Amino acid sequence: MEKWEYRSIKFETKGFMGGILEIEEFNHQLNNFGEEGWELVSCVATSQGQGTTREVIAIFKRKKF
């Protein structure tokens, strides 16, 4: 039976009302996790209200050996 381990990381958004994600830093972090064998499973944006996002949470998994 395959076993998995999971990891979540949180990215804060910028801007007066939030909602601005520093995409270069975001991609850099995603690539770092990919290099370590983590696969991105999901991304969730937390709502601050009126369509703005306060945080983005990325969820990863990789096989446990």
Side-chain angles (χ1 to χ4, degrees), residues 49-63:
Q50 298 182 352
T52 60
T53 299
R54 181 179 47 217
E55 303 163 338
V56 175
I57 299 170
I59 303 161
F60 299 86
K61 74 174 187 179
R62 70 177 174 187
K63 281 188 184 177

Side-chain angles (χ1 to χ4, degrees), residues 32-53:
N32 284 344
F33 279 96
E35 288 290 324
E36 294 176 7
W38 293 97
E39 177 183 1
L40 180 65
V41 176
S42 183
C43 267
V44 179
T46 61
S47 177
Q48 182 170 314
Q50 298 182 352
T52 60
T53 299

Side-chain angles (χ1 to χ4, degrees), residues 1-35:
M1 178 198 319
E2 290 183 327
K3 294 187 179 185
W4 303 91
E5 62 180 323
Y6 294 88
R7 185 167 185 184
S8 300
I9 57 172
K10 179 173 57 173
F11 296 92
E12 302 286 337
T13 59
K14 306 291 183 201
F16 175 69
M17 294 291 293
I20 301 171
L21 184 63
E22 293 181 2
I23 196 69
E24 288 181 20
E25 177 61 24
F26 183 71
N27 286 336
H28 178 74
Q29 289 291 332
L30 294 180
N31 286 324
N32 284 344
F33 279 96
E35 288 290 324

